[in-house]
Structure formats: structure tokens, C-alpha cells
């Protein structure tokens, strides 16, 4: 759906993208994560045809971003970071303008506008001036506008910035719904918990490079190896627990409080299951066992720890 | 071609402009100024005649005085207004962060430019046409032919269109409306004042060389700086055949067309590369 190969775009101050490559399959909901100035916005701008790359190439739905920009725009919906609205237009007029800008013809035009109004939940406010809407409602309107021409791909650059928790929840639900409808989404955000909740894949970007691909420097790749975190609550005996922990390969005890332990194991669900079986075989009375992979926050920390220090 | 006529940008721009308070305030002020100068021309002509002891004043004299006063007042006032309408029209999209939405829609850059240009020019045309009844007043006194009115209006529209294109170029260059408008005013000032000063210097040099004594009109090379003056086409149109007159309106028109086309090309080029500014 989206193929970016060796993208390079350098700005003054040496920021931008350096040989960035990324492949997104149809139906994926990919989160783009990285520190400020990592190149997230630049990448999204290049894919959305707003910015030409210095070198490399990008295709969207098989169309070249540089040579077939109109076809790319017809198949993508782009929502900028801090997007603006025409405050002095009514909600319906705003959508009508963009329906015309995307060359929608009747009866599709009216149907799309109506659908967008329903999608944004602005049925009762379609005659209101945009300036009278709250930030959350404006964001809904903008997303509805972005979907007017029924794009196959959505490019969202920090769409949740400035939204209150309720608006963020609504946005998250809307994105889940769009993903379920089969729309491919590339979203950049600093709100990791939101991305963790909705994304099917996370791409880490730092200094203009994709640091989550296999070609990444080995140290960083090492840091990103999967680790599973097990929270255990038991009744007795402690010695059997200690023995089971000492048998687990590569384990690390990261917390101990009374009858509660937190153990991190290399690997995934299988390793966690084996550890639990070992505990039970050692006659430990386990009353609570919760095994989870590292959160996005933890993965982010591990990936960028070296760079941040 | 149809896309340029049914351009959604034009509808959007006009709707937004007509919703502003200045949509009715400016035409009102404009008409007051033009009507004031027309009245002044009438009273000045009649009172000068009375002072000179003329018992009868030719109606044609009054008609011509009103006509010339109104057309020159119009162009001066509209030159002051043109930057306001054009120089802010792309910067406002940058300031309210809506330009990215336009550039990622299916509107082409020439369509966006055309929409902005037509909207800016249409508003100036609205002002221009609102003063037509005042201009037509000169017909009642005589001395002015309809074809002169057409020529004056056509020439004014051409100069305003060219300066609107320059205003849009300033708008594409800057991020803030205030900077774009200030630059556009500076350009208008250079075209209006520097050309006159240059012409004055060349003219003095020409006169001191003794060539003026031959009785021929001002040569083209001396007049050439004035070709860029927004008032020159009107001065040339309404002082034909007299000694030392300006006589090359076509050169001036062609220059203004060239300036407008260049400004349009630079604006579109700048818009295509504006991704970094967004």
C-alpha cells in the first residue's frame, strides 16, 4: 500500500530523513513513533505529496508520489499536525467546499457530505459556524473532511494533540472503526498509550532513520528484543519460588514486595507459560499470575535510551 | 477550462470576503471618497470659472473635469486597496493552517492561484463598478465619450489585475500577512514614486541637452521609467497629441501584463514548494 525506499530529505540544521525505508501492507494501522525532530512529519509530508524528497522513491497504492501526485492525493487522506479550519464557514459549507475540491459529483457529493456529517456526529450543528465548535469537534470535522473522498489510506500527523481525554477516546474509537472498515492508516503520535491500544504495528524513527527494521544497528535491535513481564502473587513457600526463578534463563527480578514478585523473562507467551508451569510443579500456590509483553512506553524507552543518554 | 470557471476556490473566497465587515464598509467609504472628489471637481470648475469672470461655463468642461478627477481618484484609491485584498490571501491560509488541506486536495496549484486571484480582483471590480454611476454623471455634462470610459476602465482593470498578481506573489513569499502586505505596498510605492523621480531626472537631463527646444514630444527612452507607473496608461490615454505628452499606453499595458504573468508564475512555483513552510 505504501512503499518508501531510501528516502532522503535534509533540511537546514541537518534534520530530516536519511535513507528511510518503510513498507505498509493494506489494512495495517501503523504507528510512527520517535522523539521530536526525528522526521515523522517530514515522512508524512513526503507521502502526502506536500514535500518532495531529495532522493529515494515512494509509491502509494502503486502510484509514484513524485510523478503521479494527483492519483496519490485521490487515494490518501491527510490530516496535518495542528490543522486549521475556516472559522467563518458553516460546518456544511466547509464540507461542501472540500467535496468540490475533491471533485465529487452528484449524487456522490451529497451522500459523502451527509456521511461525513453523520460520521463526525455533527448532525445537529451542520449550520453552525466552525468557530463555535470545540477543539474536539473541530478535530472530528477535520477527520470527516479527510474521509470525504473515501481514501484508501489515512495519513495522520499527531491528530490527538491538544484534545481532552474524552475527545481522544472518541478519536481512538473512530480510528478503530476506520481500520475495521479496511482503511490503511499511518499515524504519528507522542501519546504512546493511544497507539498501543489501536496500532497493529509500531515503527520507531530516530534521526531520520527507521530504527525498528531488521537492518537497524545491532545494539538498537538488541535493545528491542521482546521481554515478557510476569506479575506473580503466591501464598507459599518462598524457597520454591526462589528455586523456580533461579531456573528461568535470562530472568531478572525487577520487584519484590511481600508475597508479590515481578519477574522479567526474555521471550514471549511461551516462556511465561513455561515459567508458570515450573512454579506450579514446584508446589508454589500461585493465586495471581499476569504476564504481559513490554508496553510501548518500555519499548520506546529501550529503543531510544541510548540516544537520550 | 471549465474547471477554472467552476473553481470552488472562487466561491469559497467570495463567500468569506462578503461575510467580513469590510465587505460593506469599504464600498461605502470608497463611494464617499469618489463622490467627494467628484463634487470637489464640480465646484472647483464652476468656482474657477466664476473667479475668472466667465458668465457661462461650458458643460463639457465640467464633464471632463468630473471624469478625469473620478478616474484618477479611483485608481489611486484602488491601488491602496489592492494589496489588502491580494497580499493577505495566501498568508491567511498559512496563518490559519489551512493551506496543507488545499494542497493535498485535488485542486491544482493553478486552480488555487486562479481562485485567489479572481476573488481579489472581483472585489476591486465591485468597487470600480459601484462608482460607474458617478462616472456616467460626466455624460450628462458632455465632453466625454463612452469609449473613453471603456478605455479608462479597461486600463484600470489591467493595472489592478497586474498588481493583484504581484500581491499574491508577496503572499506566497511570506508566512505573515503583515509582511506580505507591507512588501506589496513597498512595490506599489516604488512603481508610483520611484518611476516619477527617475522620469524627472531623465526629463531634466533631456531638457538641459537642448533637445526639448526642437518641439518634439518627450522621447520614449525618457518616458520609459513611467511605463511602470500605474497612472501612466491613464495619463497617456487622456493627453494624446499634445506637445510633451505621454504617448505610449500600449508599452505600459504590455509591461503590466508581463509583470502580472511573471508574478503568477513565481507564485505558482512558490506554492508548489511551500510544503516546508506548512
Amino acid at each position: 500500500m505504501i512503499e518508501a525506499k531510501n528516502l532522503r530529505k535534509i533540511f537546514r540544521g541537518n534534520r530530516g530523513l536519511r535513507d528511510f525505508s518503510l513498507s505498509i501492507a493494506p489494512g495495517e494501522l501503523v504507528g510512527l513513533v520517535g522523539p521530536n525532530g526525528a522526521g515523522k512529519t517530514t515522512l508524512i509530508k513526503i507521502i502526502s505529496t506536500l514535500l518532495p524528497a531529495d532522493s529515494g522513491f515512494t509509491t502509494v497504492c502503486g502510484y509514484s508520489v513524485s510523478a503521479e501526485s494527483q492519483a496519490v492525493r485521490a487515494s490518501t487522506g491527510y490530516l496535518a499536525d495542528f490543522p486549521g479550519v475556516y472559522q467563518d464557514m458553516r460546518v456544511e459549507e466547509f464540507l461542501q467546499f472540500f467535496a468540490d475540491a475533491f471533485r465529487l459529483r452528484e449524487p456522490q457529493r451529497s451522500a459523502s457530505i451527509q456521511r461525513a456529517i453523520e460520521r463526525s456526529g455533527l448532525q445537529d450543528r451542520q449550520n453552525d459556524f466552525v468557530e463555535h465548535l470545540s477543539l474536539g469537534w473541530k478535530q472530528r470535522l477535520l477527520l470527516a473532511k479527510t474521509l470525504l473522498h473515501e481514501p484508501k489510506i489515512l495519513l495522520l500527523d499527531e491528530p490527538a494533540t491538544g484534545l481532552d481525554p474524552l475527545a481522544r477516546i472518541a478519536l481512538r474509537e473512530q480510528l478503530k472503526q476506520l481500520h475495521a472498515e479496511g482503511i490503511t492508516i499511518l499515524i504519528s503520535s507522542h501519546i504512546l498509550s493511544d497507539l498501543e491500544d489501536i496500532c497493529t504495528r509500531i515503527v520507531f524513527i530516530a534521526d531520520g532513520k527507521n530504527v525498528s527494521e531488521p537492518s537497524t544497528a545491532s545494539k538498537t535491535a538488541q535493545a528491542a528484543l521482546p521481554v515478557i513481564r510476569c506479575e506473580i502473587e503466591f501464598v507459599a513457600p518462598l524457597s520454591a519460588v526462589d528455586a523456580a526463578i533461579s531456573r528461568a534463563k535470562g530472568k531478572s527480578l525487577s520487584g519484590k514486595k511481600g508475597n508479590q514478585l515481578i519477574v522479567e523473562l526474555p521471550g514471549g507467551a511461551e516462556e511465561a507459560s513455561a515459567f508458570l508451569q515450573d512454579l506450579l510443579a514446584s508446589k508454589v500456590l500461585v493465586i495471581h499470575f499476569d504476564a504481559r509483553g513490554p508496553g510501548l512506553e518500555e519499548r520506546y524507552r529501550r529503543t531510544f535510551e541510548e540516544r537520550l543518554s | 477550462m471549465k474547471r477554472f470557471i467552476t473553481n470552488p476556490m472562487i466561491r469559497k473566497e467570495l463567500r468569506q470576503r462578503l461575510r467580513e465587515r469590510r465587505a460593506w464598509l469599504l464600498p461605502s467609504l470608497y463611494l464617499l471618497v469618489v463622490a467627494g472628489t467628484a463634487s470637489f471637481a464640480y465646484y472647483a470648475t464652476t468656482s474657477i470659472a466664476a473667479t475668472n469672470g466667465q458668465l457661462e461655463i461650458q458643460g463639457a468642461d465640467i464633464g471632463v473635469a468630473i471624469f478625469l478627477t473620478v478616474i484618477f481618484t479611483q485608481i489611486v484609491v484602488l491601488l491602496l486597496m489592492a494589496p489588502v485584498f491580494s497580499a493577505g490571501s495566501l498568508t491567511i491560509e498559512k496563518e490559519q493552517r489551512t493551506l496543507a488541506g488545499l494542497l493535498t486536495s485535488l485542486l491544482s496549484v493553478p486552480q488555487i492561484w486562479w481562485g485567489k486571484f479572481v476573488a481579489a480582483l472581483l472585489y476591486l471590480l465591485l468597487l470600480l463598478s459601484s462608482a460607474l454611476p458617478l462616472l456616467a454623471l460626466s455624460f450628462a455634462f458632455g465632453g466625454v465619450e463612452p469609449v473613453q470610459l471603456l478605455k479608462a476602465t479597461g486600463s484600470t482593470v489591467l493595472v489592478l489585475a497586474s498588481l493583484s498578481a504581484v500581491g499574491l506573489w508577496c503572499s506566497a513569499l511570506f508566512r505573515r500577512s503583515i509582511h506580505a502586505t507591507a512588501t506589496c505596498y513597498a512595490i506599489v510605492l516604488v512603481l508610483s514614486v520611484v518611476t516619477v523621480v527617475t522620469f524627472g531626472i531623465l526629463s531634466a537631463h533631456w531638457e538641459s541637452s537642448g533637445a526639448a527646444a526642437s518641439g518634439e514630444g518627450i522621447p520614449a527612452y525618457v518616458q520609459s521609467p513611467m511605463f511602470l507607473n500605474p497612472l501612466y496608461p491613464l495619463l497617456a490615454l487622456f493627453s494624446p497629441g499634445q506637445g510633451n505628452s505621454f504617448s505610449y499606453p500600449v508599452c505600459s499595458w504590455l509591461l503590466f501584463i508581463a509583470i502580472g504573468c511573471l508574478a503568477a508564475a513565481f507564485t505558482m512555483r512558490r506554492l508548489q514548494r511551500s510544503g516546508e513552510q506548512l
Side-chain angles (χ1 to χ4, degrees), chain B residues 16-61:
Chain B
Q16 287 180 304
R17 278 169 199 267
L18 292 174
R19 277 192 179 144
E20 292 170 1
R21 190 181 295 167
R22 66 181 180 188
W24 56 267
L25 202 63
L26 280 180
S28 309
L29 287 174
Y30 173 77
L31 279 177
L32 271 176
V33 171
V34 177
T37 51
S39 308
F40 173 78
Y42 175 81
Y43 287 111
T45 315
T46 49
S47 63
I48 287 168
T51 315
N52 291 344
Q54 281 181 255
L55 293 176
E56 284 184 16
I57 306 154
Q58 291 290 321
D61 292 339

Side-chain angles (χ1 to χ4, degrees), chain A residues 45 82 84 86 93 100, chain B residues 11 16 19 93 97 106 278:
Chain A
K45 276 186 179 177
F82 305 108
Y86 297 113
E93 289 168 354
D100 294 334
Chain B
R11 204 161 52 243
Q16 287 180 304
R19 277 192 179 144
E93 301 279 357
R97 308 184 74 94
L106 293 185
L278 305 176

Side-chain angles (χ1 to χ4, degrees), chain A residues 86-91 93-94 97 129-130, chain B residues 12 19:
Chain A
Y86 297 113
Q87 307 275 10
D88 50 358
M89 286 173 100
R90 295 176 198 278
V91 168
E93 289 168 354
F94 182 79
F97 167 65
F129 280 100
V130 173
Chain B
K12 174 192 94 71
R19 277 192 179 144

Side-chain angles (χ1 to χ4, degrees), chain A residues 9 11 45 48 50-51 70 73 78 81-82 84-86 88-89 93 97-98 100-103 129, chain B residues 3 8-9 11-12 15-16 19 93 96-98 100-107 111 275-276 278:
Chain A
K9 178 78 189 176
F11 298 108
K45 276 186 179 177
S48 67
L50 269 178
L51 205 60
Q70 286 275 317
R73 286 176 204 162
Y78 168 69
D81 53 340
F82 305 108
V85 283
Y86 297 113
D88 50 358
M89 286 173 100
E93 289 168 354
F97 167 65
F98 278 100
D100 294 334
F102 278 103
R103 297 185 198 151
F129 280 100
Chain B
R3 260 184 220 160
M9 281 298 292
R11 204 161 52 243
K12 174 192 94 71
R15 176 179 275 153
Q16 287 180 304
R19 277 192 179 144
E93 301 279 357
Q96 59 188 18
R97 308 184 74 94
T98 44
L102 293 180
L103 291 172
T104 51
S105 73
L106 293 185
L107 288 170
Q111 273 183 304
E276 283 178 38
L278 305 176

Side-chain angles (χ1 to χ4, degrees), chain A residues 29 136 139-140 143 154 156 159-160 163-180 185 187 189 191-199:
Chain A
L29 201 169
Q139 192 69 343
R140 277 172 172 237
L143 191 57
L154 267 185
L156 310 175
L163 297 185
D164 64 37
L166 276 179
R168 259 174 56 197
I169 292 167
L171 177 69
R172 224 163 49 202
E173 293 309 313
Q174 209 173 355
L175 292 180
K176 278 183 189 171
Q177 176 63 33
L178 292 169
H179 179 232
I185 303 173
I187 176 174
S189 179
I191 306 170
L192 301 181
S193 55
D194 283 2
L195 292 184
E196 193 166 29
D197 187 34
I198 59 173
C199 290

